[in-house]
Amino acid sequence: DTGVSQNPRHKITKRGQNVTFRCDPISEHNRLYWYRQTLGQGPEFLTYFQNEAQLEKSRLLSDRFSAERPKGSFSTLEIQRTEQGDSAMYLCASSPGQAWGYTFGSGTRLTVV
Amino acid sequence: AQSVTQPDIHITVSEGASLELRCNYSYGATPYLFWYVQSPGQGLQLLLKYFSGDTLVQGIKGFEAEFKRSQSSFNLRKPSVHWSDAAEYFCAVGPQGGSEKLVFGKGTKLTVNP
């Protein structure tokens, strides 16, 4: 399967803990995106990488959030000191270019208790 | 700023009936427009996209969409719905102005009755 892979699929954590999610994009896609989706809403943009460079960040990405793509392949999204409001589906997507649209992974469902 | 409005939160159709899901957008230039479908607990799958040329675009699973610049609309259609089409559908616009992000609507949930 050469789709976008996200791990873990589900994560339950206690408030105040740190969590890290991983995304493995389609190997030939140089663009990688993170989105967050809450119940009843469409996905909201968090950040974008082209190769290893993080070129765009949303204001939604507070200082508790950090994303990396160290070798231009997989990416990680870390949330420090989680809050209940961080509970959401975190979606990763990759693309070979602007006009192609995204290929999304199945997401990581985060529940903060 | 870009925005996308999907006026219908929930639509119910009978299997075999035709379907039209509405999408209106606000955008400063010629948009890239997309429709995605999401099954419960899953990521989003691209159904079709428009960025230039023929205003009627064909997608996967028998879906099509028509771009109408005068109405700022990009409605999704299917002539005959199957039970497996039950899902949530998202319209998206972008990118624009050096930003790579897509802006998504809030989605329309489709229920298909037997």
Side-chain angles (χ1 to χ4, degrees):
Chain A
D1 185 14
T2 57
V4 177
S5 176
Q6 291 190 247
N7 288 289
R9 289 295 308 275
H10 303 276
K11 179 71 177 178
I12 300 174
T13 191
K14 292 183 178 179
R15 191 173 50 187
Q17 298 295 304
N18 299 343
V19 293
T20 300
F21 311 139
R22 177 178 170 124
C23 172
D24 289 90
I26 294 173
S27 58
E28 57 267 32
H29 289 184
N30 62 349
R31 288 169 155 84
L32 186 147
Y33 310 83
W34 285 98
Y35 278 75
R36 181 173 70 184
Q37 185 179 23
T38 53
L39 210 58
Q41 301 294 318
E44 296 174 293
F45 173 79
L46 292 178
T47 191
Y48 154 63
F49 290 85
Q50 186 164 336
N51 299 312
E52 66 275 9
Q54 188 175 20
L55 298 183
E56 192 174 354
K57 292 197 292 186
S58 164
R59 287 172 293 177
L60 290 175
L61 214 66
S62 75
D63 57 5
R64 296 185 298 106
F65 288 69
S66 63
E68 294 182 340
R69 194 183 183 196
K71 297 182 179 178
S73 56
F74 74 92
S75 175
T76 57
L77 177 68
E78 182 183 15
I79 309 174
Q80 296 183 326
R81 305 181 303 281
T82 52
E83 302 173 355
Q84 286 191 320
D86 297 330
S87 295
M89 175 80 89
Y90 290 84
L91 294 164
C92 177
S94 68
S95 172
Q98 282 187 350
W100 291 90
Y102 299 167
T103 301
F104 278 91
S106 297
T108 294
R109 168 78 62 189
L110 173 66
T111 302
V112 181
V113 297
Chain B
Q2 305 164 72
S3 66
V4 176
T5 301
Q6 294 182 247
D8 304 304
I9 295 172
H10 192 185
I11 283 183
T12 301
V13 299
S14 298
E15 191 168 15
S18 64
L19 172 70
E20 182 168 24
L21 302 182
R22 296 183 291 164
C23 172
N24 294 97
Y25 65 89
S26 171
Y27 196 81
T30 302
Y32 289 1
L33 292 158
F34 305 86
W35 275 100
Y36 286 85
V37 61
Q38 185 178 35
S39 298
Q42 299 298 313
L44 286 78
Q45 181 183 22
L46 179 65
L47 285 176
L48 47 77
K49 61 192 178 202
Y50 169 82
F51 29 91
S52 67
D54 193 347
T55 56
L56 184 64
V57 293
Q58 303 296 320
I60 62 172
K61 304 185 180 187
F63 286 93
E64 67 179 24
E66 186 171 13
F67 170 58
K68 293 186 177 180
R69 184 186 300 276
S70 61
Q71 298 177 19
S72 297
S73 70
F74 188 56
N75 294 348
L76 182 71
R77 300 194 294 246
K78 186 169 185 178
S80 178
V81 169
H82 189 263
W83 64 266
S84 60
D85 293 324
E88 190 146 23
Y89 292 80
F90 293 92
C91 181
V93 64
Q96 179 190 26
S99 169
E100 281 282 327
K101 72 177 182 182
L102 295 187
V103 175
F104 286 81
K106 293 187 176 183
T108 298
K109 183 176 180 180
L110 174 66
T111 298
V112 181
N113 287 336

